[in-house]
Amino acid sequence: MPAMIATFRALAEPNRLHIVELLRQGPRPVGHLVRRLRLRQPQVSKHLRVLSAAGLVDVRVDAQRRIYALRPAPLQQLELWLEKYRRLWEGNFQRLDALLDNLKSSEQKSRKKKHLRRAIGSDHP
Amino acid sequence: MPAMIATFRALAEPNRLHIVELLRQGPRPVGHLVRRLRLRQPQVSKHLRVLSAAGLVDVRVDAQRRIYALRPAPLQQLELWLEKYRRLWEGNFQRLDALLDNLKSSEQKSRKKKHLRRAIGSDHP
DNA sequence: TACGAATATTCTTGTCAAGGAATATTCGCT
DNA sequence: AGCGAATATTCCTTGACAAGAATATTCGTA
């Protein structure tokens, strides 16, 4: 799961996310990215290094050029991780919370709130 | 798409990711998180603030306690974003690149490489 | 009303990461 | 051999941010 952190950190930088989006269309040499982004060549190289360290990107050497390509693995991992959360919006799980909240608004508060507290927000569930 | 950045930034911090994982099991008061994480209460509150600002989390007030709950929206967005990349590992797209790379290893380089350059890594695709 | 529980906020400090500028490296070509 | 193109690396400065410590706020309750 520290792999997940590396992925998030890499993608949290706007320019890097942009690079990833550009590479979605296929492998590209550095110069191509430099022209698309509002960045100078050294920064692009640096960002590519970070992406590479995070395993998000792969280099292929072609003479003086380096062709960078997306590596699917980290994104697959990300999708895998996300799946654990899908029930949050697929099932009506968790919205139970909002429902109870609404109910609470149309009642006197003291006794009922204690019930809710034990039922949902309990500290020792 | 700056929303995506906010999500990534929020999740890029290990403790915050941990909080999110904990909240996956349902809404929880701050104290519960404090006990689970290796963090002091103020830091947890701060991290919750960041998560809240990123829209990843929601508060419900219950007397002195604040019950935090995951908000599905940003994660849904994330999944949506990821879908654009799914073809990277579903189709055999992009692995074309690795294939050509392997071929290259078992041939003389000069003429062939020029062809590859134009075909794949071109600067003006 | 005073107190304690639960949580938030402020201030400070150290660390790390991103951009800028300059330079180094590598390769093809003539 | 030397030059220019393409890319990487280094050094520096600055800003953001996380942790620590201390304090403030809010609420229920005796």
Side-chain angles (χ1 to χ4, degrees):
Chain A
M1 198 133 324
M4 209 79 308
I5 291 287
T7 303
F8 283 135
R9 288 186 30 130
L11 299 176
E13 214 284 331
N15 296 306
R16 281 196 296 262
L17 183 56
H18 198 176
I19 290 181
V20 167
E21 307 253 36
L22 288 174
L23 290 182
R24 191 163 62 90
Q25 338 235 93
R28 291 288 185 275
V30 180
H32 179 260
L33 304 171
V34 170
R35 238 163 291 117
R36 294 282 190 276
L37 303 164
R38 275 304 185 187
L39 278 183
R40 305 175 193 279
Q41 177 267 319
Q43 330 295 337
V44 174
S45 282
K46 289 183 215 172
H47 283 307
L48 284 169
R49 198 142 90 101
V50 176
L51 288 172
S52 179
L56 273 161
V57 125
D58 226 5
V59 211
R60 172 163 63 85
V61 178
D62 173 64
Q64 318 107 42
R65 302 203 293 176
R66 312 292 158 106
I67 315 286
Y68 283 85
L70 267 187
R71 267 173 33 95
L75 299 173
Q76 282 183 84
Q77 282 299 116
L78 188 47
E79 194 177 46
L80 218 66
W81 179 83
L82 258 184
E83 274 174 16
K84 296 187 304 188
Y85 291 81
R86 190 168 300 146
R87 65 182 182 91
L88 290 190
W89 57 88
E90 277 191 345
N92 32 19
F93 297 85
Q94 191 93 347
R95 303 309 297 151
L96 176 72
D97 189 37
L99 279 181
L100 290 177
D101 235 340
N102 287 345
L103 284 190
K104 187 196 60 180
S105 313
S106 40
E107 305 188 52
Q108 48 269 65
K109 19 196 274 193
S110 43
R111 280 231 330 257
K112 200 64 181 184
K113 278 181 73 175
K114 286 194 179 176
H115 289 156
L116 287 179
R117 197 184 309 165
R118 298 272 168 229
I120 277 277
S122 169
D123 210 350
H124 302 289
Chain B
M1 198 135 320
M4 208 79 309
I5 291 286
T7 303
F8 283 135
R9 289 189 25 136
L11 297 178
E13 214 282 333
N15 297 305
R16 282 196 296 263
L17 183 57
H18 198 175
I19 290 181
V20 167
E21 307 254 35
L22 289 174
L23 289 183
R24 191 163 62 90
Q25 338 235 93
R28 293 286 185 275
V30 179
H32 179 260
L33 304 171
V34 170
R35 239 163 290 118
R36 293 281 190 279
L37 303 164
R38 275 307 184 184
L39 279 182
R40 306 177 192 279
Q41 177 267 318
Q43 329 294 338
V44 174
S45 281
K46 288 185 216 171
H47 283 307
L48 284 168
R49 197 142 92 103
V50 175
L51 289 171
S52 179
L56 274 161
V57 123
D58 225 6
V59 212
R60 172 164 63 83
V61 179
D62 173 64
Q64 318 106 42
R65 301 202 293 175
R66 312 291 157 105
I67 314 285
Y68 282 86
L70 267 186
R71 267 174 33 97
L75 299 173
Q76 284 183 85
Q77 282 299 116
L78 188 47
E79 195 177 46
L80 218 67
W81 179 82
L82 258 185
E83 274 174 16
K84 297 188 303 186
Y85 291 81
R86 189 169 298 146
R87 65 183 185 91
L88 290 191
W89 58 88
E90 276 190 347
N92 33 18
F93 295 86
Q94 190 93 347
R95 304 308 298 151
L96 175 73
D97 188 37
L99 279 181
L100 289 178
D101 235 340
N102 287 345
L103 284 189
K104 187 196 60 181
S105 312
S106 41
E107 303 187 53
Q108 48 271 66
K109 18 195 278 194
S110 44
R111 280 231 329 259
K112 200 64 181 184
K113 279 181 74 174
K114 287 193 177 178
H115 290 155
L116 286 180
R117 198 184 307 163
R118 298 273 168 228
I120 277 278
S122 168
D123 210 351
H124 302 288

